[in-house]
């Protein structure tokens, strides 16, 4: 039977949800039974053989519901293969360089150290000013963040393929 893999995400405006859907699609194409869910819809990760968890980044932080999920499920996550990702920086070039070296929220680093994820990725995000509040628009302008959809589907697909290969090797 195919291993059940949870792809859980926290999003505000949908960009991260679509990244999670793509990851789930790739895992499915590679023979894994992926379930893509918002973190708030998941109360228990123990039915899953592995977990991929991602959040949008706002002012250097993960979404609150992703932090809650990570902390509430720490023990179970530490007992299974886990991959973490963030969706954030807009603009061209290496996403970590765009984030000035940021890879993961500092406040959650101790939890991540205990969970020992297989990988922590940062993906480009998407900013649609039509969806933002006035305050958010001002903040984006203030930091001169490029507006548009910068999601790198090739990078996301390649990362998901790596997860599928690792999980299929575990099952073999
Ligand atoms: C008010 C605001 C603050 C943001 N802060 C950051 C940030 O600190 N770092 C970052 O990389 N991206 C930041 N972003 C960009 C978002 O993370 C990016 O647009 C993301 O893809 C949105 O995902 P979502 O549509 O799933 O909510 C910010 C966006 C807004 C509107």
């Amino acid at each position: 039977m195919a291993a059940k893999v949870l792809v859980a995400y926290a999003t505000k405006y949908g960009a991260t949800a679509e990244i999670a859907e793509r990851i789930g699609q790739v895992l499915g194409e590679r023979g894994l039974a992926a379930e893509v869910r918002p973190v708030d819809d998941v109360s228990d990760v123990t039915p899953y053989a592995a977990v991929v968890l991602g959040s949008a980044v706002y002012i250097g932080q993960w979404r609150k519901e992703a932090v809650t999920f990570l902390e509430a499920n720490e023990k179970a996550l530490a007992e299974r293969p886990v991959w973490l990702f963030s969706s954030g920086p807009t603009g061209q070039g290496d996403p970590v360089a765009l984030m000035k070296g940021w890879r993961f929220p500092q406040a959650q680093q101790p939890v991540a150290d205990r969970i020992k994820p297989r990988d922590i990725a940062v993906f480009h995000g998407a900013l649609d000013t039509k969806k933002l509040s006035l305050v958010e628009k001002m903040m984006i302008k203030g930091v001169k963040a490029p507006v548009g959809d910068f999601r790198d589907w090739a990078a996301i697909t390649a990362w998901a393929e790596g997860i599928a290969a690792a999980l299929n090797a575990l099952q073999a």
Side-chain angles (χ1 to χ4, degrees):
M1 212 174 77
K4 226 165 92 159
V5 182
L6 173 67
V7 184
Y9 63 88
T11 185
K12 186 167 185 189
Y13 292 116
T16 313
E18 288 173 2
I19 293 174
E21 290 291 351
R22 176 66 193 141
I23 292 168
Q25 188 189 356
V26 173
L27 297 181
E29 286 164 4
R30 300 291 183 283
L32 295 152
E35 288 183 13
V36 184
R37 307 240 183 281
V39 284
D40 282 343
D41 285 4
V42 183
S43 54
D44 181 14
V45 301
T46 57
Y48 300 96
V51 178
V52 182
L53 170 64
S55 175
V57 183
Y58 286 87
I59 323 175
Q61 303 300 323
W62 263 21
R63 301 269 305 155
K64 203 180 290 169
E65 65 271 27
V67 171
T68 302
F69 180 89
L70 186 77
E71 292 176 351
N73 294 287
E74 177 186 325
K75 188 174 171 292
L77 291 171
E79 289 168 350
R80 38 189 50 70
V82 168
W83 283 261
L84 304 175
F85 73 90
S86 297
S87 136
T90 52
Q92 303 294 343
D94 177 64
V96 175
L98 287 171
M99 295 272 271
K100 300 183 176 64
W102 187 102
R103 284 180 185 277
F104 190 70
Q106 213 176 348
Q108 280 72 52
Q109 191 61 55
V111 186
D113 288 345
R114 291 192 291 272
I115 290 171
K116 297 188 178 58
R118 302 290 175 112
D119 194 23
I120 301 182
V122 179
F123 296 123
H124 292 92
L127 271 177
D128 178 355
T129 41
K130 288 197 297 293
K131 293 180 179 171
L132 303 181
S133 70
L134 192 60
V135 173
E136 287 175 333
K137 272 188 226 167
M138 285 165 65
M139 288 170 75
I140 290 305
K141 227 176 157 181
V143 296
K144 297 189 172 64
V147 169
D149 186 350
F150 292 88
R151 288 171 296 176
D152 182 344
W153 296 109
I156 293 159
T157 301
W159 192 68
E161 282 170 349
I163 294 173
L167 291 175
N168 283 324
L170 282 179
Q171 283 205 91

